[in-house]
Amino acid sequence: MFKKILIANRGEIACRVAATARRLGVRTVAVFSEADANARHVALCDESVAIGPAPAGESYLKIERIIAAAQATGAEAIHPGYGFLSENEAFAAACEAAGLVFIGPPASAIRAMGSKSAAKALMEKANVPLVPGYHGERQDAAFLRSEADAIGYPVLLKASAGGGGKGMRIVERSADFEAALASCQREAAASFGDDRVLVEKYLQRPRHIEIQVFADTQGECVYLFERDCSVQRRHQKVLEEAPAPGMSAERRRAMGEAAVNAARAVGYVGAGTVEFIANQDGSFYFMEMNTRLQVEHPVTEMITGADLVEWQLRVAAGERLPLRQDELRIKGHAIEARIYAENPEKGFLPSTGRLLHLRMPDAAQFMNGDVRIDAGVREGDTISPHYDPMIAKLVVRGDDRAQALARMAQALAAVEVVGPATNVAFLGRLIGSQPFAAADLDTGLIERHHDALLPPAAEPPLPVLALAVAMLSMPAGVSGDPWGAPSGWRLNGSLARMLRFTLPSAADAALALTLEYRRDGWHLRRDGEGAALAGIEIAGAAVMLSVDGRRVRGHVVRDGDLFHVFHAGSHWQLAWSDPIAHAGEQEAEGGRLTAPMPGKIIQLLVEAGATVEKGAPLLIMEAMKMEHTISAPARGRVAELLYAVGDQVADGAQLLAFTPEEA
């Protein structure tokens, strides 16, 4: 086994490799860009080396810098992870030339599978089933159109050097072929520097099934069964599971043996994935081979008990495969959900920002250990625009698919993220949808059920509002002094307080609430609907209270005036319209700044006669045991301060005389 390896990657895969290497007694070296200086993978490794600025093209894709880092630190081998240089023939060759072990297949295997057209030609010779189509070198438009006409429409145009859904077009009829071809070639050239395409029969409602293969240097090659990756959006995988639902033993064996034949045809070594497209009738065809470990490899590990990263290290060190084909078994069913910083309501656009709050299921205790979280970030880290916006991979295992589905729903309900937008709620709806639950799978599932999976934003239920109001009105850490408790108690009568929220997810739709402080407790009303609130308990973000006698629990994370409420597996965002904090923004008329509710002046921040800029803090009020800053509505002059520190002010009282500067 190696003494030291360098991990030429970042994020969750770098963390995963570091953890496995530590367990095997192998020291690790991290490489990092300027944006990742404080990243989790850097903290997990024994040593680290800076390799350049944030853009991947200036750091993680710089072969010479990574080779130099390995040599400088005395690493014997390089693990490429996935993405970046993991399928780069030149990188594998450079490692070999530098006397370093590339923990992956030989450069020749990467080269053989790097071109979709060349790979299909090899597979045809190896008797691996292929989708009917043209995979040759001739690329003139008239010839390709004639091939498409012969195949029969619809056809799929695919960039020969492509991946990730780029350079792909579905053509429904011959008249549309040339325009689609030109568009496909432009995108292929821009994305891969190669405008060659192949033409294939487009299968209706296909499933995407891939086979995990593993080969050692002694000539042994096995398949570790299949993964169903059919649930996709724009050719990007969203959910993966193993084994594939409805897979018969005969079909599993046929696909596994075809995948092993594909690997043997290129002299493969290490972990690889042979991807097939499958018809609903059970027929299947070779699509491509990924010459690396896949993002979704944990589902294979969960059902086989194998640690594929450990296998990679052992095979690269010259050891035999830990298990033979007849020793491999499937145990249960596993599902993986990719948690991304992205906004499903805005076309799944990536989202960036600091992870202000990050809570995941406890992998050690939750569901007796049948849940796994692979994450490359921690609370407080920033999702940057430079790299893939993955936050974590959530993986569960059950004794059967029904149990795995239930456990995934439960695990997703425990995920809490505040900061960038995420796809967590979307994943929950997808897991709970009828077609996915019934295993009615194909690559068009999400598009076909778009409206059900992405419904219009709804108003939060009363328990959610009650949780937010409790945190707003009785924050954690309030003194036990009865005179300091924010109970709203009045000697005679009761106090009614108007609270206004907006819903950022629903185009800032307004919500008007009334919180009435009665002798027998609080009462919350909204549009005629009301509930008694009692027994409020707050510990950090955890809130518990009684709503009309029913106990309600949740987490409330406050970010300024934005309240994030996590309750019953849902995440709601409520923006509080603080009437005091925004006093004067709409009422500069007559030079007046008034108090929108009763309170006390606790600090004066300017003197009479001072000239201030718009937004400058003028004074601080205390109301409802919370401090609020009154700011200048425009550039101007403070003509007169009408109250002193300690003075009580009534609702609507003018606080100071302010003269706006004339435009």
Side-chain angles (χ1 to χ4, degrees):
M1 181 54 67
F2 304 111
K3 293 181 179 179
K4 183 187 290 188
I5 65 170
L6 181 141
I7 306 170
N9 217 295
R10 64 178 303 280
E12 45 84 26
I13 183 57
C15 295
R16 168 69 205 289
V17 174
T20 297
R22 178 181 293 112
R23 180 169 55 78
L24 296 174
V26 178
R27 293 180 61 81
T28 52
V29 180
V31 293
F32 64 92
S33 70
E34 291 174 359
D36 281 340
N38 298 311
R40 184 169 181 257
H41 79 276
V42 176
L44 286 176
C45 289
D46 300 296
E47 302 174 51
S48 58
V49 179
I51 54 171
E58 300 177 40
S59 51
Y60 294 106
L61 293 175
K62 287 290 186 181
I63 293 176
E64 68 281 2
R65 293 181 189 174
I66 293 173
I67 297 291
Q71 293 173 326
T73 56
E76 304 160 77
I78 294 180
H79 194 298
Y82 39 68
F84 292 144
L85 295 169
S86 62
E87 294 183 279
N88 188 297
E89 173 196 345
F91 183 47
C95 289
E96 183 179 353
L100 298 164
V101 175
F102 178 76
I103 303 176
S108 58
I110 297 176
R111 183 187 318 116
M113 289 297 184
S115 165
K116 286 185 173 62
S117 295
K120 287 179 185 291
L122 277 172
M123 294 305 101
E124 190 171 25
K125 292 180 182 177
N127 296 318
V128 177
L130 298 179
V131 178
Y134 175 73
H135 315 116
E137 292 298 317
R138 189 171 172 182
Q139 294 288 299
D140 57 282
F143 174 77
L144 291 176
R145 179 173 178 175
S146 68
E147 289 293 312
D149 292 344
I151 294 166
Y153 294 89
V155 298
L156 179 66
L157 295 174
K158 296 169 66 174
S160 180
K166 296 183 176 67
M168 297 180 71
R169 297 290 186 277
I170 299 170
V171 187
E172 300 283 353
R173 55 184 187 148
S174 182
D176 300 331
F177 184 86
E178 291 188 13
L181 174 64
S183 175
C184 184
Q185 289 174 326
R186 286 193 299 270
E187 188 171 288
S191 299
F192 313 111
D194 185 341
D195 68 356
R196 290 175 300 163
V197 302
L198 50 86
V199 186
E200 292 181 344
K201 179 68 178 176
Y202 180 70
L203 304 183
Q204 303 293 332
R205 296 198 61 198
R207 290 174 66 178
H208 183 138
I209 296 177
E210 59 190 34
I211 306 293
Q212 176 72 61
V213 295
F214 227 109
D216 61 23
T217 56
Q218 282 78 39
E220 186 69 32
C221 186
V222 300
Y223 62 91
L224 289 91
F225 313 113
E226 78 282 354
R227 299 184 286 257
D228 193 312
C229 305
S230 300
V231 182
Q232 305 176 4
R233 54 170 184 79
R234 296 195 297 273
H235 308 290
Q236 296 284 340
K237 300 167 188 174
V238 178
L239 295 173
E240 301 95 14
E241 57 184 309
M247 177 71 75
S248 67
E250 293 77 13
R251 186 182 180 198
R252 175 174 293 122
R253 186 181 307 110
M255 295 186 77
E257 290 174 355
V260 167
N261 289 340
R264 291 188 185 280
V266 294
Y268 203 79
V269 174
T273 302
V274 181
E275 302 196 3
F276 294 96
I277 192 164
N279 269 320
Q280 297 292 330
D281 63 7
S283 58
F284 62 91
Y285 307 98
F286 174 85
M287 188 163 57
E288 62 184 348
M289 183 176 187
N290 288 296
T291 54
R292 55 174 167 80
L293 200 63
Q294 291 278 85
V295 177
E296 57 274 19
H297 76 272
V299 291
T300 295
E301 295 182 326
M302 292 287 266
I303 65 164
T304 61
D307 183 327
L308 297 185
V309 173
E310 179 180 340
W311 282 34
Q312 283 187 301
L313 297 178
R314 292 192 180 282
V315 165
E319 298 182 24
R320 301 187 72 91
L321 287 175
L323 295 173
R324 297 190 305 271
Q325 189 67 60
D326 59 2
E327 296 174 311
L328 290 164
R329 298 286 185 275
I330 294 175
K331 183 182 178 182
H333 196 96
I335 302 174
E336 175 179 295
R338 304 185 186 194
I339 298 174
Y340 276 104
E342 63 183 12
N343 194 329
E345 285 72 29
K346 294 183 178 178
F348 294 91
L349 287 175
S351 180
T352 60
R354 185 167 174 264
L355 293 165
L356 303 174
H357 172 79
L358 179 62
R359 180 173 178 262
M360 291 284 176
D362 189 330
Q365 300 175 5
F366 196 69
M367 305 174 196
N368 298 317
D370 280 330
V371 65
R372 166 176 164 179
I373 297 101
D374 284 12
V377 295
R378 303 157 293 187
E379 184 173 284
D381 288 350
T382 297
I383 303 296
S384 82
H386 300 292
Y387 314 115
D388 185 88
M390 181 184 287
I391 296 173
K393 298 184 305 192
L394 179 60
V395 193
V396 302
R397 195 204 71 86
D399 292 336
D400 53 30
R401 190 172 189 267
Q403 188 178 61
L405 280 170
R407 286 179 169 173
M408 178 58 81
Q410 187 181 355
L412 281 169
V415 176
E416 298 177 3
V417 184
V418 173
T422 76
N423 65 340
V424 174
F426 170 78
L427 290 172
R429 291 190 292 270
L430 185 54
I431 286 290
S433 67
Q434 189 279 330
F436 188 78
D440 183 15
L441 307 176
D442 66 85
T443 56
L445 185 150
I446 291 177
E447 285 76 12
R448 195 164 54 254
H449 298 277
H450 178 275
D451 292 347
L453 295 172
L454 292 166
E459 285 195 1
L462 203 60
V464 169
L465 297 174
L467 289 166
V469 167
M471 180 63 84
L472 171 64
S473 304
M474 187 179 282
V478 171
S479 167
D481 178 0
W483 301 105
S487 64
W489 178 84
R490 292 294 184 271
L491 181 62
N492 295 303
S494 62
L495 169 68
R497 180 184 179 193
M498 295 296 297
L499 299 174
R500 298 185 182 278
F501 290 92
T502 58
L503 301 176
S505 62
D508 293 325
L511 289 174
L513 310 176
T514 301
L515 180 61
E516 188 175 359
Y517 300 89
R518 299 176 179 174
R519 289 183 176 276
D520 59 350
W522 293 3
H523 193 81
L524 183 65
R525 295 197 309 274
R526 175 191 64 177
D527 296 334
E529 181 186 13
L533 310 184
I536 298 174
E537 299 177 26
I538 299 177
V543 181
M544 185 165 59
L545 76 161
S546 175
V547 179
D548 275 346
R550 182 169 67 90
R551 211 62 180 152
V552 173
R553 294 176 174 83
H555 286 90
V556 183
V557 179
R558 184 172 182 179
D559 178 18
D561 287 344
L562 189 61
F563 288 74
H564 294 263
V565 182
F566 298 92
H567 171 65
S570 296
H571 176 196
W572 301 86
Q573 296 183 52
L574 304 171
W576 177 42
S577 299
D578 183 348
I580 294 181
H582 302 290
E585 289 182 358
Q586 302 296 327
E587 51 173 291
E589 303 84 9
R592 292 171 57 89
L593 286 169
T594 60
M597 66 173 64
K600 181 173 71 173
I601 305 299
I602 62 170
Q603 190 174 359
L604 297 173
L605 303 175
V606 294
E607 297 180 351
T611 298
V612 296
E613 298 293 331
K614 179 180 180 180
L618 304 177
L619 59 84
I620 299 177
M621 284 185 63
E622 183 182 67
M624 300 302 295
K625 308 307 294 182
M626 298 184 68
E627 295 183 1
H628 305 273
T629 301
I630 307 301
S631 302
R635 175 179 169 81
R637 178 174 173 272
V638 179
E640 184 181 5
L641 296 170
L642 303 179
Y643 289 92
V645 172
D647 287 350
Q648 294 285 339
V649 295
D651 182 14
Q654 183 179 356
L655 302 174
L656 51 84
F658 181 82
T659 305
E661 185 179 83
E662 293 185 6

